[in-house]
Amino acid sequence: MPILPIYPYDAQVLREETKAVDAPSEELTQLIVDMFATMHLANGIGLAANQVGVGKSLFVVDLSPMEGYEEQKPLVMINPEITDMWGDEINLEEGCLSVPNVREEVVRPEKLHIRYRDANFEPQELEADEFLARVIQHEYDHLEGIFFTDYLRGFRKRLVMPVLKKIRRGEAEVDYAMANDAAVVK
Ligand code: ZN
């Protein structure tokens, strides 16, 4: 199970919209296995394919390390499409393996409905709320080239900019492997 390097803030592959997965393949299955291994090693709870440099439309989520979510099964969402979002606008702190050492509050809707294909490429749909809805929205944004820090405004944004620049330069202090090649960052 190779551990894949995680691409940092503003890497080109993380700013481009990802492409749909056409069909299941051994390569896809291996990518999913590697993504889970990479995410677990970095103590993450969600990881999008473009965070490991693959511009495809899929992400993995595993909330089971979190208190209260021990029974939550790991999810693979291929070609996901959020079809509806509703409920209260919730303010919650987020972090990201591509944006190490930054935690900021982001406002997002409480609930969503999503269609996707699972690891067997079977069509699925899910209604999610609370923390699961939050993580899904964060990962879904990655597939469209959006970082949670893009939502910051004003003072918060000014405070975080120097840290983001440091991450882009490959100077973030992390205890997992990051792709650290100037060529990956535009
Ligand atoms: Zn992220």
Side-chain angles (χ1 to χ4, degrees), residues 46 51 95-98 138-139 142 148:
Q51 287 185 275
C96 179
L97 293 177
S98 295
H138 177 115
E139 299 311 325
H142 275 307
F148 76 106

